Amino acid sequence: MAANTSATSVPTSIKPNPSKKEKETLLAVLQFLKKNKLPETEKIFRQEVNGLEDIEEINLQTTPDSEADISSVLSAYNSDADPTRYEDYYSSLQAFVEKSLDVYKPELAMVLYPMFVHMYLELVYKGSEKEAQSFFACFRGSQEDYHEEDLNKLAAITRREHMKSNEFMGTLRSNKFVIRMSKDTYQVLKKHLQDQQQDLLLTLIQQHLHFDVFEGRPRNKQTIEATAGAVTGEATFEANKSKVYYGIPPEPDLGVVIEEENEDEDDKDKPKKKKVKKDSNGPGKKKQEHNPNAPPLNRQIQFPVMKDSDKLVKITLLREAAKRVTLSPDNLPSICFYSVLNAHSSLNTVSISEDSSLLSGGFEDSSVRVWSLTPKKLRMLKPPSELAQIDKEAEDVLERIMDHRTAAECRRLIGHSGPVFSTSFNNDNSFLLSSSADRTVRLWSLYTFSSLVCYKGHNYPVWDVQFCPRGHYFATASHDRTARLWSTDHPQPLRILAGHVSDVNRVAFHPNCNYVATGSCDRTVRLWDLNTGSSVRFFTGHKGAIYSLAFSPDGRYLASSGVDKRILVWDLAEGTLLTELKGHTDTVYSMRFSRDGNMLASGKYDHFLSCGVDSCVKLWNAHAICNPDDEDDEANRENRTSSKSETLQVGSYPTKRTPVHCLHFTLRNLLLASGPFTPVS
C-alpha cells in the first residue's frame, strides 16, 4: 500500500544492489545525457553509478546495440490486468466512493482523478488504444472542471510513442500525486481495496500516489476544494513545517532623525522643529527595537556597504514616506492611470520605479522604453572630458555630472533579440533590468541608457525579473521551470530554485529580502529561503496558472492570483490559506498592497476589449483580511468568516478601454496604474 507521512531511510554504509528495472533506468538516463550532449554531467553520473555494487553486470556504454529507450522507464504501466475490465474497475471505485459515509466521501473522492489518469495511461502503454479511448470518453466528464487543461494534454497521448517525449507525461512520471487524508479515511480505502482484491488499483496507488496521512477528523468538501487544483496534488504537512522569519529587520542607522514636515500655510510663522545633527550615540538617534520575527543576523543575506549617495536616496524616501496618508474604507486612495497610446498590440509589460518618478515598458519589437513621470526630464552623463573638470567634493555633484543638453521625456533601449516580457528598476533608479524571449536578462544604466551586462543562464524565455528592494540582487522566472537568484556583479546565478513542474511565471522578493516567492503554471505558489535555496512554503489551491504575487508591507502575508480570477491570501507564519477574494471576471495580472498595508489593489484585463467589456482596478480591505482578530473590527471579522468577498471589496474602478498591466502605490499612498490603450476595432 502507499506510504504514509513517515519514511525510513537506508543507512549510508549499506550500498543497495540495483534491480533490473533500476539498471534500465540508469541506462535511460545515460542515453538522455548523451543525446543532449551533456558530457560533463554524464561523466559525473558515471562516477556516481560506479559506486554501486554489481553494476558492472550491465553495459553502461550507450551504443546502438545496447541503447536503452526512455520507454523502459515506463514499464511500471505494464500489468497483466484485462484491458476490457478497466472501465469496470474504475466504475466499482466510483461506486465505493459514492456509497461511503458522508464523513469519508470528500477525501475518498480525491483518489478518483489520479486513478483515472494512470489507468488511461496504462491502457495506452499496453497498446489497447480502442479501450483507452473508450475509457477516456466514458469518465472524462466526471472529473473536476479545474482539471480540464490537464485532461486536454492527456487526450493528446493516444499511442505508446506519444509517451516518450510528452512534457505532461514527464511530469506525471517524475512526481507522485499527493493526497492529504485522515488516518480513518485511509484505513477505509485500504480495507476496501484489500477485501475486493483490486490488485490493479493497489499497484497503481503504490506506484503513482503518495498519501500524507494525518491524525484527526476527516476534512470536509469545502476545506479540500480550497487546497485542491495543483498538477501534482496537495502540499504535504512537512512542506510547510519550516519556520519562516517574515519580520522586517530594523533600518540601518542613517545618522539623522526624519521629522515630519508641516506644509500648511497657516503654520508658516510657527518655528520649525530643530533637527538633531548626526550622532551615532546621541539622544537624536531613533531607537529601533529588534523584531523577534525578523531573520537573525547570521541568516540575513549580505549587502554591500551603503554609499553616501545611497544614504541620501534613503533619506529622501523616508521623508516622503513621513507624509503618507493612512487608508481605510472611508478614506480610499486617489488613482492616477497612465495610458500608453499606439501600443495595444505590442506592449507586454509595465513597471514603475520605487519613488514613482520613472515608468518603463517592454515591447514585442525587442525594445525597452523609459518615461519620466515628473517634470524632470531624462538626462545622460556628461562626456568624460567634462566630468574630469567637476569638483567631486561639491554638494551638488550628482546634479553637475548630468548633461542638460541631452534631456528627453522618453528613452528607447535596444539590445534584446526577442520580445521583452518584464522590466524592473533598482532602489535608486540607477539601473533597469529587462527579461526577454531571447533567454537573457539585460542590465541597463540609466545614466548612459546603454546595456552594461547580459546575463545568460536560462534555457528558455525568461518571463519575469525583479530587483531586490535594496538593490544588488535580482530574481528571474523562466519557461525552464526554474527561478534563479543573481547579483549584479556576477554573470552566473547564485541560486537555482527548482521544484515547480511547469513554467515559473512570476517572482517577488519578500520585504526583508531573505525570501523569494514564485508563481507557476503548475498552479502552485512557493516561498524560497535564499540562504539555503530550499522551498519553505508550498501553497496549493489555485485552479489556474498564477500571474500575480504581492507581499504585505509587514512581510507576513502573501497574495496570489491568476487565470482562475481568484485572489488567495496566505499566512506565511502559519503556512495556511487566510482568505479567498472573488470579484474579477478575467485573469488578474497585477496586485499591490498599499504602503500602510490597509488596502490591496488588484487589476485585470479582459481578452474581449474589442467587444466593449471593460478592465478594472479593484480595492480590497486588507486590514480586515489580515487582522481578523482586531477588536475594533468585529463586523469585518464576521464578514470575512462568512466568505463574502463583496463585503471586503471597497472599490471597483473600470477603465474605458485600457487593460491594467501595472499597479503601484506611491510613498504617500497614491495609487498609480498603467496599461496600453486599446482602440475600437
Side-chain angles (χ1 to χ4, degrees), residues 153 157 162-175 231 460 479-481 501-503 521:
K153 296 178 181 178
I157 306 174
H162 298 163
M163 302 174 75
K164 300 176 184 178
S165 57
N166 187 277
E167 183 177 346
F168 182 61
M169 182 67 206
T171 300
L172 295 176
R173 287 295 304 137
S174 58
N175 300 274
V231 175
Y460 292 95
H479 176 61
D480 63 12
R481 305 183 182 186
V501 298
S502 189
D503 295 38
C521 279

Side-chain angles (χ1 to χ4, degrees), residues 183-200:
K183 187 175 181 180
D184 292 343
T185 309
Y186 178 80
Q187 294 296 339
V188 169
L189 176 63
K190 181 179 178 181
K191 184 177 185 301
H192 167 76
L193 294 176
Q194 291 177 341
D195 290 348
Q196 298 296 320
Q197 296 183 351
Q198 297 278 13
D199 294 337
L200 171 64

